[in-house]
Amino acid sequence: MTLSVSATNLLSHQQPPPASASLELSITGMTCAACVRRIEKAVRAVPGVNEASVNLVTQRASVKLDPSATKRELLVAAIENAGYGVVDAPARATTTSSSSESRADALASAEALEQRSIRRDFAIAAILTLPLLVIGMSHGAIPGTAGPSGHWTQFALATPIVFGPGIRFLRLAWAALRHRSADMNTLITIGVLAAWGYSTVTLFSSAFSSHAGHGSLPHLYFEAAAAIISFVLLGKLLETRARKRLSDAVRGLVALVPKTARRVNADGTTTDVEVSALSVGECVLVRPGERVATDGKVVNGASAVDESMLTGESLPVDKASGSLVFGGTLNQSGAITLEITRTGSDTALARIVEAVEQAQGSRAPIARLADVISSYFVPIVIGLATVALIAWFAIDPTSGGFAVAIERFVAVLVIACPCALGLATPAAVAVGTGRGAELGILVKGGAVLEAASRIDTVLLDKTGTVTEGKPALTDVVDVSGRGERELLALVAAVERQSEHPVAQAIVAGAEARGASRLDASTFAMQPGAGVHGTVGGLDVRIGTTAWMSAAAISTFALDGSARELAMRGRTPSFVAIAGRLAGIIAIADRPTVEAKRVIAELKAMGIDVAMVTGDRAETARAVANELGIERVFAEVRPEEKAKVVADERARGRTVAMVGDGINDAPALAGAHVGIAIGTGTDIAVAAADIALLRGGIASLPQALRLARSTLRTIRQNLFWAFIYNVIGIPIAAGALYPATGWLFSPILASAAMSMSSVSVLANSLRLRRFARTMGRSDV
C-alpha cells in the first residue's frame, strides 16, 4: 500500500508529474464476465498500455498507460472494434483537471439512454410475445390457432422479435465470435436461433413438401424464441435500474457541488460565474444556506459549516479567518469570503469521489474462482446442451423426438447464467464501498475489504489515535489551604507567559475550572525544570522535585501523590508559593471519549487489541489499563513498529495497524490493512487502505463490520450463482424426467436466467441498509 501524506503536502498545489497516466472510460454494452475479459484483452493490446481493468457493475475501464505513446482515441477504437461502446465524456486522467460533475452527467445520460432503449425493446417484444404465448401454448384449443394459419401467425409474430429487439444479442454474439470467444449473448443467440430456426425450417418444409396439409406438425418453438428475448430484456431492464442504484453514493457526492459561484471582483462587487471558470487565488463569497463551490481559505467573515457530507461529523464546524473550507460543504450561519486554494479534480470532494470510484471498480481476490469458472463456462454449457440434444434424439429418433431434443438443447443454453457469476463480487464491492463513503469510511477497494473482513488483531498507535494527541490538565492537589481555584489562578498567571503546549494546557484547564484571571509581574523559565514568577507579590514556582530542592523547598510531603499520579499516566509538577510547598498539578494526554467503547466493541467482535507506542512504559500502561487493553508495546521507535507488526503476522494473525499515517509509516506498510485516522482536511484518502474521515477511531468497528458484511454478501452471491447453475442446467437437460415425467420449458428457463442476475444485484443492494448507528448492522 502507499502511505498517508501529511496535511501540508495534501494541501500543496505542487504535485510531481506522474510516471504514467491513469485513464477511465465508461463503457456500454457489457453483459457478463466474458465481456470484461474481451475488453481487457483488446485494451491491453493497444501499444503503450501498461495495465487495464474493467468492471462489469460500474461499466468502467481503468487504464494505466504511457501518455506519450497512447491516445484516448486508440483505446476507444479498440473497445468499439471489440463490439462495445464508449461514453463520449471527458475522461479522467491524473494529468488533467477534468470535472467530476461532467463525467457524472455523461454517465447518467448514457445510462438513461441505455435504459430507454431496453425499455422500448422490451415493450415491443412483450406486446408481440403475449399473443404468441397464448397461441403457442393453447395447442389449438383456441379457435383459429390450429393448423397452418396458427403456425404462420406464430412465425409472423416471432420473427420481428428475433430480428428486432433481439438483434442486440445477435450483434454482440457476432462480435464475440469475430474475436474467437463466447459469452452470455452467445448462449442466448444459439438458443433463440435454434428454437426459431428449427420451427421455421419445419414450417416451411411442411408448407412446400408433397405431404403439405397431411398430418400434424411437431410442436413449434416460436413462442420459446420470443419469450427468451422478452424475459432476458426484462432482466436487463431490472438490472440497469439496480445498477443505477449501485452508484448513488458517488452521484450524491458529485451533486453536492453547486454549478455556479459568486466571484468577488477587484472593486468589491460580485459576479455569478460557472464553477469551472474559477481559478486558484480568486475570492468567492458564500452566503448562509449556500454550498461552498470549491476548496478555499477564509479571508473574511465567520460562520459554522456543515461538513457531515465529507466527514460524517454531525455538528457544524466553526470557521473564521484562516480556516480551511471544502467544496460541497454547507455554509450555515454567516457570510464568508474564501480565497480559492484548489479547483476541479484537486479538491477534497473530487479526491473522495475518485477514491470511491476506484474502489468500486476494483476486484476482490475472492472473485478469482468465479473468473476462472466464467472463462470456461460458455463452452462447457454449449457442450452440455449438445450432449442433451444428442441424448434425447438417441432416445427417440423420430421427428417428434428431435423436437423434444431441440427443446432440451434450447433450455440448457438459456438457463445457464454467467451473468450472475460475473456480478457476484463487483456488485457487492460497489455497494459496500459506496455505503462506506456515505458513512465517512473510505476503502481502497475489493482486496482491502476482503482483508479487513478477516482482521483478528488491531494494533493501535497511542498519541492522536486513542488519545486526544494534546496535553490536558487532569489533577490538582492543594495542600496550601487556598483552595483549588485560587491555586490554579496563581499557577495560570505564571504559565500564561509561556508558549509551551503544557503551559497552554494548564491555562486552559484553569479557565475551564473557573479560576480567576491574574497577571504575573515577573516571569522566568528553566528549560527542563520549571517556571516561576511573581503574582500579587507572591513568588510562584512550578516544576520538578529537583528544581524545588535547588530552591530549598522540600517535596517529601507530596512525593507519594506524585508517584501515584505518574503510575496513572500523568505528568506531575510541584507547586510552591512564597517558598512553601503548595500542591501538585498533573498533565496527561487523555484518551478520547470514544476510545474505551471502540476497544470494547472490537473485543466483542473477537478481535485482539494491542497498543504500540513510543511513549514511556508507565504512561502507556496507564492509558491501556484505563481503556481495557491488555497488551502494550511501549518505548517503540517508529522504525521498530514494523517489527511488532511482522511478529504478529508471524504468529499467523491478520493485522490491521491504526495510526495517523505519517509517523507510523513502516508499521502501516507492513500490516495487512493500514487504517489512517483523518478528517476532511487532511484526506488520508488517497494513501491509506482505509481512511476514517470522522477524525477518530469512533467508526473503526463499523468499518470492520462493513467489510465483514460485504464479504458475507459476496459469498452469498457466489453460492447462489453456483448453486443456480449446478441445479438449473441438469433440470433443463431433463434430469427430472425419468422420475417425475416433468420437463423444464425454455420459456421458464429464460425467466429463471434473467431473475438470477437480478437476485444477485438485489442481494448486494441490501448493503445499502448497513446501519449508520455505530455497532449495528441490519444486513
Side-chain angles (χ1 to χ4, degrees), residues 432-610:
T433 52
R435 181 58 176 150
E438 293 175 344
L439 298 172
I441 302 166
L442 284 188
V443 184
K444 200 171 189 180
V448 174
L449 275 173
E450 184 171 341
S453 71
R454 298 193 174 103
I455 293 298
D456 55 24
T457 301
V458 171
L459 301 179
L460 298 169
D461 178 44
K462 182 181 77 71
T463 304
T465 301
V466 298
T467 66
E468 298 287 354
K470 55 185 179 182
L473 179 66
T474 57
D475 300 89
V476 178
V477 179
D478 173 42
V479 294
S480 67
R482 288 181 168 82
E484 179 181 301
R485 287 188 178 181
E486 184 178 344
L487 179 69
L488 283 176
L490 293 169
V491 170
V494 177
E495 296 286 8
R496 195 171 281 114
Q497 311 304 311
S498 172
E499 295 182 356
H500 194 280
V502 170
Q504 295 174 1
I506 293 172
V507 172
E511 292 175 350
R513 298 185 184 211
S516 57
R517 182 184 178 94
L518 302 176
D519 294 318
S521 56
T522 64
F523 173 79
M525 178 179 66
Q526 180 66 40
V531 295
H532 71 93
T534 304
V535 183
L538 297 174
D539 180 69
V540 180
R541 184 177 295 259
I542 309 105
T544 65
T545 184
W547 199 46
M548 294 293 177
S549 297
I553 301 171
S554 173
T555 60
F556 177 78
L558 291 177
D559 281 345
S561 298
R563 282 194 297 271
E564 180 185 351
L565 288 168
M567 291 179 64
R568 289 167 50 201
R570 274 61 166 164
T571 301
S573 295
F574 293 97
V575 179
I577 299 175
R580 298 171 61 87
L581 186 65
I584 296 177
I585 56 172
I587 300 296
D589 182 8
R590 300 286 301 142
T592 61
V593 293
E594 69 273 6
K596 190 169 185 178
R597 173 191 58 77
V598 166
I599 290 163
E601 284 190 35
L602 292 175
K603 288 184 175 181
M605 293 168 65
I607 296 174
D608 182 30
V609 182

Side-chain angles (χ1 to χ4, degrees), residues 9 50 96 257 271 336 348 439 485 511 606 746:
N9 290 336
N50 301 321
T96 68
V257 180
T271 306
I336 50 177
L439 298 172
R485 287 188 178 181
E511 292 175 350

Side-chain angles (χ1 to χ4, degrees), residues 5 8 50 62 69 75 92 115 117 119 152 158 161 173 402 404 411 413 428 441 457 465 521 534 600 652 697 710:
V5 295
T8 302
N50 301 321
S62 299
L75 299 174
R92 182 177 71 247
Q115 194 168 16
S117 173
R119 188 186 298 115
W152 285 106
I161 298 175
F402 185 65
V404 173
L413 288 174
I441 302 166
T457 301
T465 301
S521 56
T534 304
I697 61 170
T710 303

Side-chain angles (χ1 to χ4, degrees), residues 2 91 315 341 386 393 407 419 460 486 573 724 750 772:
T2 55
L315 295 177
T341 57
T386 304
F393 186 60
E407 183 182 57
C419 297
L460 298 169
E486 184 178 344
S573 295
Y724 165 81
S750 63
R772 290 183 181 274

Side-chain angles (χ1 to χ4, degrees), residues 735-751:
L736 297 180
Y737 184 76
T740 65
W742 182 71
L743 291 173
F744 203 59
S745 78
I747 297 172
L748 293 178
S750 63

